[in-house]
């Protein structure tokens, strides 16, 4: 799938072709072979009315990427009802982990923390996000295999939010650096200032809870990056 939000503003058609039509292809495979499906959606709530955000909160896609994920969700809902296909939709909040592409926020900050420059440059320090470590997302996906009936939706996050400034502070703490932070004060189009997932439903129905704190996740990524760089 296509996942990088800034790119979705530049080429929404390509995101629709991949994320919506690609999803329908997977749906058809599942329908013809009677295979239950867990669909990995995304944050689709837009600007929330209140925090934390539950699965029944208003859905307001705030960028073309989120729109494609919501359209794909509607296809899953239809197939689940019309074809009696067991479908579970997972809505992960901000996923991070080892191997994430460098143009995402956390890898970009880690790269700057470990390079030879004296600054860490970001566009905006204020936005807050609920970050979920990749391994925790995987355990949630595995947990859905025990609920393969009907149509279900679960938020997957940590239940807390961190600002970009707080993310930098954690990364610098783990990296043991004290670099100057430079902010461009360039807010993204239709920026969300704070999101927090209500993960109680996943806990109650799947028995799932995140196992990694943000600090522990960053430690794992930093260890991997240092091994690659031999530092």
């Amino acid at each position: 799938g296509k996942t990088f939000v800034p790119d979705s503003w530049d080429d929404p058609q390509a995101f629709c072709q991949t994320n919506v039509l690609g999803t329908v292809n997977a749906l058809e495979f599942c329908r013809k072979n009677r295979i239950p499906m867990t669909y990995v959606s995304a944050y689709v709530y837009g600007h929330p009315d209140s925090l934390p955000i539950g699965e029944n909160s208003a859905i307001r896609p705030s960028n073309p990427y989120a729109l494609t994920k919501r359209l794909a969700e509607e296809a899953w809902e239809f197939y689940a009802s019309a074809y009696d296909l067991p479908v579970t939709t997972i809505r992960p909040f901000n996923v991070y982990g080892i191997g994430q592409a460098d143009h995402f926020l956390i890898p970009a900050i880690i790269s700057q923390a470990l390079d030879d420059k004296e600054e860490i440059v970001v566009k905006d320090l204020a936005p807050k996000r609920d970050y979920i470590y990749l391994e925790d997302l995987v355990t949630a996906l595995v947990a859905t295999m025990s609920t393969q009936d009907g149509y279900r939706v679960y938020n997957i996050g940590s239940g807390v939010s961190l600002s970009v400034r707080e993310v930098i502070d954690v990364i610098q703490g783990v990296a043991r650096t004290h670099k100057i932070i430079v902010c461009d004060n360039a807010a993204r189009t239709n920026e969300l200032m704070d999101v927090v997932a209500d993960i109680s439903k996943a806990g109650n129905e799947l028995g799932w809870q995140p196992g990694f704190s943000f600090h522990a996740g960053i430690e794992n990524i930093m260890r991997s990056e240092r091994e690659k760089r031999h530092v």
Side-chain angles (χ1 to χ4, degrees), residues 36-187:
M37 169 62 80
T38 294
Y39 173 60
V40 182
S41 185
Y43 180 86
V44 294
Y45 301 105
H47 295 273
D49 295 323
S50 61
L51 298 175
I53 302 163
E55 288 84 356
N56 293 325
S57 297
I59 295 176
R60 307 185 188 100
S62 58
N63 55 71
Y65 166 65
L67 172 63
T68 65
K69 301 302 277 190
R70 179 53 189 159
L71 292 172
E73 281 190 7
E74 291 182 347
W76 283 115
E77 291 172 25
F78 178 83
Y79 270 68
S81 174
Y83 297 110
D84 193 28
L85 182 67
V87 173
T88 301
T89 290
I90 292 292
R91 291 174 181 159
F93 280 52
N94 283 65
V95 183
Y96 71 106
I98 295 171
Q100 189 172 31
D102 289 342
H103 55 249
F104 286 92
L105 177 68
I106 289 176
I109 294 173
I110 289 175
S111 179
Q112 292 182 81
L114 295 177
D115 67 23
D116 295 331
K117 298 179 182 178
E118 297 180 355
E119 299 176 338
I120 293 178
V121 181
V122 295
K123 295 183 180 298
D124 193 350
L125 290 170
K128 302 180 72 174
R129 294 291 185 271
D130 185 328
Y131 293 97
I132 181 70
Y133 191 55
L134 179 60
E135 289 188 31
D136 282 331
L137 173 58
V138 170
T139 62
L141 295 176
V142 172
T144 65
M145 296 174 66
S146 64
T147 59
Q148 295 178 328
D149 62 310
Y151 182 77
R152 303 187 184 197
V153 180
Y154 299 101
N155 286 338
I156 298 299
S158 68
V160 297
S161 64
L162 296 171
S163 68
V164 174
R165 177 58 187 259
E166 290 171 320
V167 168
I168 294 173
D169 289 345
V170 171
I171 290 173
Q172 292 225 75
V174 174
R176 298 180 181 177
T177 57
H178 300 86
K179 296 188 177 186
I180 298 170
I181 300 172
V182 177
C183 178
D184 294 338
N185 292 315

